[in-house]
Amino acid sequence: MTINELNKYRYIKNNIKHLQEKIDVVNSQIITASKISDTKVIRSHTNADNTGDIAVKLAELKEELLGECAKLIEKDIEINKFIGNIDDEEIKYIIRERFLNFKSWYDISAEMDCDRTTPRKKLKKYLNERSKIYE
C-alpha cells in the first residue's frame, strides 16, 4: 500500500455513496417504468414496447452501476484490511486520522505533539519498510 493509494480512500468512499444514490434513482425509475407498462390503459402497442425498452435499459444501467460499486467496495475492503493488519498503533492512528478522518498533517502533528513533518515521515518510512518486506 502506498500513500497515493491511501489518498484515494476519500474518493472511493464518496464514489460509493454517489453510486448508491444513482442506483436508488434508477431503481425508482425501473419501478415507475414497469408500472406504466403494466397499466391496462395502453393506447397503443408501440407505447408498451417503448416503455419496456426503457425498463430494460434502466436495468442494464443499474447492473453497470452495481458492478462499478462492487469494484470500489473491494478497494475499500482492501484498504480497511491493510489498516487492520498494522501492528504499530501510532502508524494506525496516523493513517486513520489522515485518510479516514481527512485531517491535515498539521492537525495530526499537533495532536501527536510533534513537528509538522513527523507523522508523514513516519508513515512514509513504515510504508517503505513494509514494501521491502514484500518484494
Side-chain angles (χ1 to χ4, degrees):
M1 187 76 47
T2 65
I3 288 179
N4 191 29
E5 290 171 315
L6 290 168
N7 269 326
K8 292 177 183 177
Y9 186 78
R10 171 188 322 215
Y11 304 108
I12 289 170
K13 294 303 273 185
N14 285 340
N15 285 335
I16 289 170
K17 179 182 171 192
H18 291 294
L19 284 171
Q20 288 171 336
E21 289 170 358
K22 281 184 179 181
I23 290 167
D24 290 344
V25 169
V26 170
N27 275 337
S28 68
Q29 291 171 336
I30 289 171
I31 291 168
T32 302
S34 67
K35 284 180 182 176
I36 291 171
S37 66
D38 287 344
T39 57
K40 295 189 179 186
V41 184
I42 297 176
R43 295 195 175 138
S44 72
H45 184 66
T46 322
N47 285 346
D49 288 343
N50 288 341
T51 306
D53 290 343
I54 290 169
V56 168
K57 289 180 181 180
L58 286 169
E60 289 172 0
L61 174 61
K62 178 183 173 183
E63 286 304 311
E64 189 176 318
L65 292 171
L66 285 170
E68 193 176 332
C69 192
K71 289 177 189 175
L72 290 171
I73 290 170
E74 282 299 317
K75 289 179 183 178
D76 182 24
I77 290 169
E78 181 183 335
I79 290 171
N80 280 300
K81 280 184 181 178
F82 171 78
I83 295 168
N85 289 329
I86 296 173
D87 293 332
D88 186 328
E89 290 301 318
E90 183 179 44
I91 296 299
K92 196 180 282 192
Y93 173 80
I94 292 168
I95 289 174
R96 282 203 173 115
E97 293 304 300
R98 176 68 180 171
F99 304 107
L100 278 62
N101 297 330
F102 315 120
K103 290 188 179 177
S104 70
W105 291 115
Y106 179 81
D107 290 340
I108 296 167
S109 64
E111 290 170 6
M112 293 175 64
D113 196 28
C114 60
D115 180 66
R116 181 183 57 82
T117 60
T118 301
R120 190 173 198 290
K121 286 179 183 177
K122 285 183 177 190
L123 177 59
K124 198 170 184 180
K125 180 181 176 190
Y126 174 82
L127 294 174
N128 286 336
E129 288 172 357
R130 188 173 171 107
S131 70
K132 288 178 186 175
I133 292 171
Y134 294 106
E135 286 179 352

